[in-house]
Amino acid sequence: MSLFSLFVIAVGLSMDAFAVAICKGLAMQKITLKKAAIVGLWFGGFQGLMPLIGYILGSQFEQYITSIDHWIAFVLLGLIGGSMIKEALEKKGCDECGCGNNDNGSLTAKAMFPLAVATSIDALAVGVTFAFLRVNIVPAVSFIGVITFLFSALGVKIGNVFGEKYKSKAELAGGIILICMGCKILLEHLGVL
């Protein structure tokens, strides 16, 4: 997998965390670099960990499904992307997504852990896809974690300054990116590209 493809996937995966980070920033009275870094570490850490877990699980079953791995990648990325697009178009506010203003921007483990897990579940499926594509996993998950860290820290600031304006647009963009990557993988394996 090329660095550009990995970057595009990392950006797509980070959009859920970015959207939730916007909500976190919206809920905070005053943001600091430390608060933005904490949000970035939670989301970036889990976004890096989940594909690693998915990769390990996918590697266990690789021998059984190698002949259809490109179809699995296509379907998983398509479903994840479609789900993100659906969420973006539902126009739910931060209170409905579980990261709303009612938590006062809390950064405790109790507040952040469920959000970090929820925003990184799609990365678990991508990790399974990485196993089928034989991606070098350590640099890949590190790259995804760093990109998500940066987008999440930025999302806190954007949320604090601009509010919910960019939340649904980020989810929509992430969904489109993941669907496009799934199509690219399928077309490459079918010899079209």
Side-chain angles (χ1 to χ4, degrees):
M1 178 173 286
S2 72
L3 184 60
F4 177 73
S5 294
L6 184 59
F7 175 75
V8 171
I9 287 174
V11 169
L13 287 175
S14 70
M15 289 298 109
D16 271 352
F18 177 71
V20 174
I22 288 173
C23 292
K24 278 293 182 189
L26 181 65
M28 293 178 191
Q29 294 294 324
K30 180 181 177 192
I31 62 163
T32 63
L33 189 58
K34 179 182 176 183
K35 289 179 180 180
I38 290 169
V39 172
L41 285 171
W42 272 103
F43 291 145
F46 272 81
Q47 206 70 276
L49 176 66
M50 291 298 222
L52 179 62
I53 294 169
Y55 181 88
I56 292 167
L57 293 173
S59 295
Q60 302 300 314
F61 302 105
E62 179 184 6
Q63 63 188 359
Y64 303 111
I65 51 180
T66 302
S67 63
I68 58 167
D69 59 0
H70 52 284
W71 285 103
I72 293 171
F74 172 71
V75 169
L76 286 176
L77 292 174
L79 290 174
I80 295 165
S83 175
M84 289 175 70
I85 291 170
K86 181 179 176 238
E87 287 177 24
L89 297 177
E90 286 178 350
K91 298 188 191 267
K92 58 185 177 185
C94 284
D95 287 335
E96 294 175 33
C97 75
C99 58
N101 298 331
N102 57 358
D103 72 355
N104 296 321
S106 175
L107 300 179
T108 64
K110 183 179 178 182
M112 293 302 297
F113 179 78
L115 294 175
V117 170
T119 58
S120 61
I121 290 295
D122 51 357
L124 182 74
V126 170
V128 172
T129 302
F130 283 173
F132 301 146
L133 298 175
R134 293 183 179 87
V135 171
N136 190 349
I137 195 64
V138 173
V141 297
S142 300
F143 192 66
I144 290 169
V146 168
I147 295 294
T148 304
F149 171 86
L150 295 172
F151 272 92
S152 298
L154 180 64
V156 171
K157 178 67 175 170
I158 290 172
N160 193 254
V161 173
F162 297 108
E164 288 190 57
K165 184 177 179 182
Y166 297 107
K167 178 182 174 289
S168 63
K169 290 178 181 156
E171 286 183 322
L172 181 63
I176 291 169
I177 288 169
L178 292 178
I179 289 172
C180 289
M181 287 307 300
C183 290
K184 179 182 178 285
I185 290 167
L186 178 64
L187 293 174
E188 282 176 349
H189 280 276
L190 294 176
V192 176
L193 293 180

